[in-house]
Amino acid sequence: MARKPGVMIYFDIRGILDMLTLEERGSLFSTIMEYGETGRFCERDLCDKARLIWPFVQSYLDRDDDRYRDISQRNRYANYVRWTRERGEEVLPRHEWELYVDVRDEDADA
């Protein structure tokens, strides 16, 4: 699957960010970028206040990641359907296609 292009920062967390110093915000932002890109989180990189905020921010990042994955998979299936029909072949139902694609993706990562 293609890498997602970035992460969203929502206005909902602005009130929380206002409680942090600029240095603490920078630390939180670096953690957000690392987690968004790699999925890794290092608690010791955050100050005490940011550690309290992190679960709230992480839930947004995880939700967006799930949504991105779902949309990407739906788009991949739509492309598969279009190209398969153009070749005059039979289209697999999505649940069967996903089983096939999951196996191929795991083989490509190995």
Side-chain angles (χ1 to χ4, degrees):
M1 179 185 306
R3 254 175 71 181
K4 63 184 178 176
V7 296
M8 295 287 294
I9 305 294
Y10 294 95
F11 295 127
D12 293 1
I13 66 169
R14 187 173 200 161
I16 294 171
L17 292 176
D18 289 343
M19 296 185 299
L20 302 176
T21 66
L22 287 178
E23 184 177 326
E24 292 167 338
R25 289 180 197 184
S27 171
L28 180 61
F29 181 73
S30 294
T31 300
I32 289 170
M33 296 301 289
E34 177 71 19
Y35 184 77
E37 187 174 19
T38 67
R40 289 189 301 264
F41 164 67
C42 184
E43 188 173 337
R44 71 175 173 269
D45 291 342
L46 293 174
C47 66
D48 290 339
K49 287 183 200 173
R51 279 191 200 112
L52 294 173
I53 295 167
W54 177 250
F56 178 71
V57 173
Q58 184 181 23
S59 69
Y60 277 103
L61 297 172
D62 291 343
R63 180 197 64 200
D64 289 349
D65 194 44
D66 291 343
R67 187 179 304 150
Y68 182 82
R69 193 176 306 111
D70 290 344
I71 290 170
S72 294
Q73 190 77 336
R74 188 176 8 165
N75 290 342
R76 289 176 68 199
Y77 181 70
N79 284 333
Y80 157 76
V81 169
R82 182 176 36 135
W83 290 109
T84 302
R85 285 183 178 154
E86 283 184 12
R87 289 191 305 262
E89 299 172 359
E90 185 177 342
V91 174
L92 292 174
R94 184 168 173 181
H95 66 279
E96 289 180 25
W97 174 83
E98 286 176 344
L99 292 173
Y100 172 71
V101 169
D102 288 344
V103 169
R104 285 187 49 204
D105 286 346
E106 287 176 8
D107 290 344
D109 291 339

